[in-house]
Structure formats: structure tokens, C-alpha cells
């Protein structure tokens, strides 16, 4: 039933981090001694992108699911432009919550942020679970300019009608599940200054993703990678038509020592929402890698 997940969504909490209000949802047992999990969403999304994964994220202990600056319930502040700065804000939130080290779970842009955090603050990242992570592709100067010029404030605002929201969200799935109505309603709720701030966050996010590609061979923590083989967003089908999700995922996995790959044959870019069992498998593989490395 569309919207049936509402009752299962944990309530929001808020913290002030570097002068900005950051929203987050806490799952599991905050007193647990198990390794905590922090989940970071992708471009244009929010903590609700994990709405079908809350049980998996909090099953072993404490989990914190974040709304990045400019998204969800967090302050719509266009001043946070770089991915590394977003990772720093998540890191400081964890510090405030008493979490010294965690498994970082990231989807798309959130995966790119998690990788950067593993490279810049390895003491805070015990392991990575990357779901269709961005930052793996390399774009020419011409391609970067084309993408940056395509995603503007006016373009984001033009996609705020209900038909456009549904059409664009459908691109993130192979077959959009009924539960995605939750994501549609969340996007349509933005109006006025909140919508303007959200648009600025999306524009800045695209620029940052293009300007801050990651080098996976430098990652030195246990890692699992999950990709949907029906992903229509990563890799970019227009600019890299000969690069399939499988090829990109397998190439990324080979670059990280000991990384594990989980593929979902019938899932798109929002794999964790469309195929929650496959996401749970990837997270389980990450926990297993941490145990083996201990």
C-alpha cells in the first residue's frame, strides 16, 4: 500500500553542527557495544531513501541515518558545497553523538562522501558499504561542463510538479515500488525558501561530484559494493554508453583490496529501496569483512 512505511519511519532528531541544523534518525540501541553504522543518502534525496532498510541498519546495534545539509529536514544552506565538507559535517555529528568509529554506508553521492571520509579521516571509518557509489567515472572537461550547465536552479525548480517528480524518481528504479510514494511526498513538500535551498544543494552537489572524483586504490578499510544491473544513472548512459553497471562495479571492486561485490539483477540506482534484501546482503558482507580483519 503506498505510504504504508510512514508508521515505520523513526522520528527525527536535530543537532547543531558548525552552526547548521542537521536532521538525523537514530535506530537500534544507542548503548550497544557493536560497531555503529552511519548512512548517508545521495543527490536530491534524504534519510528517507533508507526507509526500507531501517531494520537492517539497526539490527546489530546503533545506527544513525543523516539528512545532509540542504536536504530532508536539515538546514537548507547552500554554503556547504564540497563533498569533503559534507563528510566533515557528518563526522562532527558523530563526534557529538559519541560515535568515534563506524561503518559508513553511502548511496550514490553519499557513497562518494563516505569514500572521501575514509581517505581523509580513516580513524573514523571502520568499513564502507557503498551502494551505486558516485565518483567512479572520469569525465572530460567538455562532459563536466555539459552536466554542470544542465543542472541549474531553474531546472531543479522546473521539476517540482508532481508529474515531473514521479517521472524523475522512476528513473532511479527498474520497477518503482509502491512504497516510493513516501519519497514522492517528501519531495513535493518543499516550497518557498526550502525549495530554493534544496535547488541550491542539488546544483552544488552535481558540481562537487564532478570536481571530486575518488581514487579507490587508496581505500584501506573493509569494503562491500552493491550495484543494480538495471541502473540507469550510474554509469552515465549518454556519456559512457559502453560502460555497463556490471563493468563499473567489477572494476571498482578490483581496485579495493579484499572488497566484496553484491549485484542485484533486477534493481536500478536506488538499489537499497528497490531490493532491500540485496542491500542487507551487502551490509552483512561488510560486517563479515570487519570481523575477519579484527
Amino acid at each position: 500500500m503506498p505510504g504504508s512505511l510512514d508508521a515505520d519511519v523513526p522520528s527525527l532528531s536535530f543537532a547543531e553542527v558548525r552552526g547548521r541544523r542537521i536532521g538525523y534518525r537514530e535506530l537500534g540501541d544507542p548503548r550497544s557495544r557493536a560497531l555503529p553504522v552511519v548512512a548517508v543518502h545521495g543527490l536530491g534525496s534524504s534519510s528517507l531513501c533508507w526507509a526500507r532498510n531501517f531494520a537492517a541498519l539497526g539490527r546489530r546495534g546503533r545506527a544513525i541515518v543523516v539528512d545532509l545539509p540542504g536536504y530532508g529536514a536539515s538546514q537548507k544552506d547552500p554554503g556547504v558545497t564540497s563533498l569533503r565538507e559534507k563528510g566533515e559535517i557528518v563526522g562532527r555529528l558523530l563526534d557529538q553523538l559519541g560515535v568515534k568509529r563506524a561503518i559508513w554506508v553511502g548511496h550514490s553521492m553519499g557513497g562518494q562522501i563516505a569514500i572521501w571520509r575514509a581517505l581523509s579521516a580513516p580513524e573514523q571509518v571502520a568499513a564502507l558499504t557503498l551502494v551505486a557509489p558516485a565518483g567512479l567515472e572520469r569525465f572530460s572537461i567538455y562532459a563536466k561542463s555539459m552536466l554542470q550547465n544542465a543542472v541549474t536552479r531553474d531546472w531543479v525548480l522546473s521539476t517540482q510538479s508532481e508529474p515531473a517528480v514521479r517521472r524523475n524518481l522512476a528513473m532511479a528504479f527498474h520497477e518503482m515500488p509502491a512504497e516510493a510514494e513516501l519519497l514522492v511526498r517528501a519531495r513535493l513538500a518543499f516550497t518557498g525558501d526550502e525549495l530554493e535551498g534544496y535547488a541550491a544543494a542539488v546544483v552544488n552537489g552535481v558540481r562537487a561530484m564532478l570536481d571530486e572524483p575518488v581514487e579507490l586504490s587508496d581505500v584501506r578499510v573493509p569494503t562491500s559494493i552493491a550495484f543494480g544491473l538495471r541502473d540507469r544513472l550510474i554509469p552515465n548512459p549518454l556519456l559512457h554508453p559502453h560502460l555497463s553497471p556490471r563493468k563499473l562495479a567489477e572494476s571498482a571492486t578490483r581496485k579495493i583490496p579484499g572488497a566484496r561485490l553484491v549485484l542485484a539483477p533486477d534493481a536500478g540506482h536506488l538499489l537499497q529501496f528497490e531490493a532491500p534484501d540485496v542491500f542487507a546482503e551487502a551490509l552483512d558482507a561488510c560486517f563479515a569483512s570487519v570481523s575477519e580483519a579484527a
Side-chain angles (χ1 to χ4, degrees):
M1 176 181 177
S4 62
L5 288 174
D6 283 277
D8 301 322
V9 175
S11 61
L12 281 158
S13 298
F14 295 92
E16 186 171 307
V17 184
R18 293 177 58 176
R20 297 176 176 87
R21 189 183 78 156
I22 300 298
Y24 65 95
R25 305 176 194 273
E26 192 153 4
L27 318 169
D29 183 358
R31 298 165 299 178
S32 172
R33 295 188 178 183
L35 195 62
V37 173
V38 58
V40 187
H41 64 79
L43 183 77
S45 191
S46 75
S47 56
L48 292 177
C49 81
W50 308 102
R52 300 188 76 188
N53 315 115
F54 289 143
L57 288 167
R59 184 168 64 236
R60 291 175 179 81
R62 189 180 191 185
I64 296 154
V65 186
V66 180
D67 281 338
L68 291 169
Y71 297 101
S74 290
Q75 186 171 330
K76 304 300 180 288
D77 183 353
V80 184
T81 56
S82 79
L83 300 186
R84 279 169 276 196
E85 187 178 4
K86 289 180 175 69
E88 172 69 16
I89 287 174
V90 175
R92 292 199 179 191
L93 172 65
L94 295 182
D95 288 340
Q96 290 186 25
L97 297 176
V99 176
K100 295 181 178 180
R101 198 161 172 263
I103 290 178
W104 283 56
V105 178
H107 171 246
S108 195
M109 180 182 74
Q112 194 171 349
I113 291 170
I115 294 167
W116 270 116
R117 196 62 182 163
L119 298 176
S120 61
E123 72 283 355
Q124 198 170 41
V125 182
L128 293 168
T129 297
L130 307 173
V131 184
L136 310 183
E137 300 172 83
R138 296 298 184 265
F139 296 96
S140 68
I141 293 176
Y142 168 78
K144 286 174 60 176
S145 177
M146 184 182 72
L147 290 169
Q148 289 170 348
N149 290 335
V151 181
T152 64
R153 166 195 172 273
D154 289 345
W155 178 82
V156 176
L157 297 182
S158 75
T159 64
Q160 185 62 11
S161 69
E162 183 169 340
V165 168
R166 292 185 182 280
R167 183 172 62 249
N168 289 336
L169 184 60
M171 286 293 295
F173 295 102
H174 172 49
E175 293 184 2
M176 191 162 78
E179 292 87 347
E181 188 69 20
L182 183 69
L183 308 182
V184 172
R185 293 203 314 273
R187 168 67 191 274
L188 291 175
F190 288 148
T191 59
D193 290 343
E194 280 227 317
L195 180 57
E196 287 283 353
Y198 168 81
V202 171
V203 171
N204 290 336
V206 169
R207 293 181 179 275
M209 290 163 69
L210 292 167
D211 289 340
E212 300 175 64
V214 291
E215 184 48 67
L216 294 180
S217 59
D218 293 333
V219 174
R220 291 292 182 271
V221 297
T223 301
S224 65
I225 300 174
F227 251 96
L229 296 183
R230 301 299 187 101
D231 197 319
R232 293 184 281 177
L233 299 178
I234 294 179
N236 188 292
L238 297 177
L239 297 174
H240 297 140
H242 302 299
L243 183 60
S244 68
R246 179 187 291 274
K247 287 182 180 178
L248 182 64
E250 291 176 346
S251 173
T253 305
R254 286 194 297 268
K255 292 177 181 178
I256 302 176
R260 303 187 183 192
L261 175 62
V262 178
L263 298 174
D266 296 313
H269 188 59
L270 265 167
L271 176 150
Q272 76 273 24
F273 205 97
E274 188 169 8
D277 290 345
V278 176
F279 167 76
E281 181 183 347
L283 186 59
D284 287 345
C286 190
F287 271 100
S289 294
V290 172
S291 298
E292 292 169 5

